[in-house]
Amino acid sequence: SADAESSLRRAIDLATEQDMPGRAADSLHNLSWVAGLHGADREALGHARAALEIYRTVDDPRFLANALNNVGWYHAQLGEYATAAEYCEQAVDTHRRTGDRFGAAQAWDSLGFVYRHLHEHARSVECYRQSLHLMREVGDRFAAADTLYHLGGALWDAGDPDAARTAWHEAL
């Protein structure tokens, strides 16, 4: 928490001093995660945006895709769903180009969350199904269970309680 934040800020300073923008962006990305864990979503979004701007200058689209999803996620946490959808869609597209199936699965999960809150239930269900498929492909059972839980909620909202219960049961 406070120690993590202090360490990350020091890492950002060191990376900046050593002209290592990618490392500074990594630390900003992690700093956004720490802020988000403490419910400081506006602060987390600020760090995520700063990381994204640096990643745009570094030639590694995998990091760029993760940063796009992170910015989208924090917009969603702040209730800014249309903006969140734009960033998360860009993340999915970028992950597709890089072949990062786990990153794409995370971005699909974020999109499912966004579309659920936009009351676009069919899109939400489809996003969660895409995420689940990829999580199973990469063998991440914990993340697959989490996505199944979210899928159940989206199915419930879509008016399919039987499918929702099946998803929740499978998540267990």
Side-chain angles (χ1 to χ4, degrees):
S1 47
D3 289 339
E5 185 176 335
S6 175
S7 295
L8 287 166
R9 289 186 187 284
R10 179 68 181 135
I12 293 164
D13 291 343
L14 289 171
T16 302
E17 289 170 14
Q18 297 297 315
D19 194 29
M20 300 173 74
R23 297 289 185 201
D26 293 344
S27 295
L28 281 162
H29 184 85
N30 291 333
L31 192 56
S32 74
W33 185 73
V34 169
L37 285 175
H38 290 84
D41 295 326
R42 182 70 55 196
E43 179 183 344
L45 177 59
H47 297 312
R49 282 180 187 230
L52 175 60
E53 291 312 309
I54 295 171
Y55 284 133
R56 288 187 192 280
T57 68
V58 177
D59 189 26
D60 192 330
R62 289 171 301 159
F63 289 114
L64 176 63
N66 288 331
L68 287 164
N69 190 52
N70 201 30
V71 169
W73 178 253
Y74 287 112
H75 275 292
Q77 296 306 298
L78 293 165
E80 301 164 356
Y81 300 115
T83 302
E86 292 174 21
Y87 281 99
C88 294
E89 291 279 0
Q90 290 176 49
V92 166
D93 290 341
T94 305
H95 279 304
R96 273 193 203 135
R97 287 195 307 272
T98 67
D100 181 352
R101 293 178 300 167
F102 181 75
Q106 291 178 313
W108 278 116
D109 188 83
S110 295
L111 272 174
F113 178 87
V114 168
Y115 287 126
R116 185 173 181 200
H117 284 83
L118 287 170
H119 306 287
E120 295 185 33
H121 303 303
R123 285 180 89 175
S124 177
V125 166
E126 182 55 32
C127 291
Y128 284 131
R129 285 185 172 149
Q130 290 289 334
S131 176
L132 180 61
H133 172 75
L134 291 169
M135 288 299 181
R136 287 178 170 158
E137 270 190 9
V138 299
D140 190 327
R141 293 178 52 153
F142 178 80
D146 194 46
T147 298
L148 277 162
Y149 175 75
H150 299 148
L151 174 61
L155 287 163
W156 184 271
D157 292 346
D160 194 345
D162 292 335
R165 281 189 283 279
T166 298
W168 289 328
H169 180 74
E170 192 175 341
L172 286 172

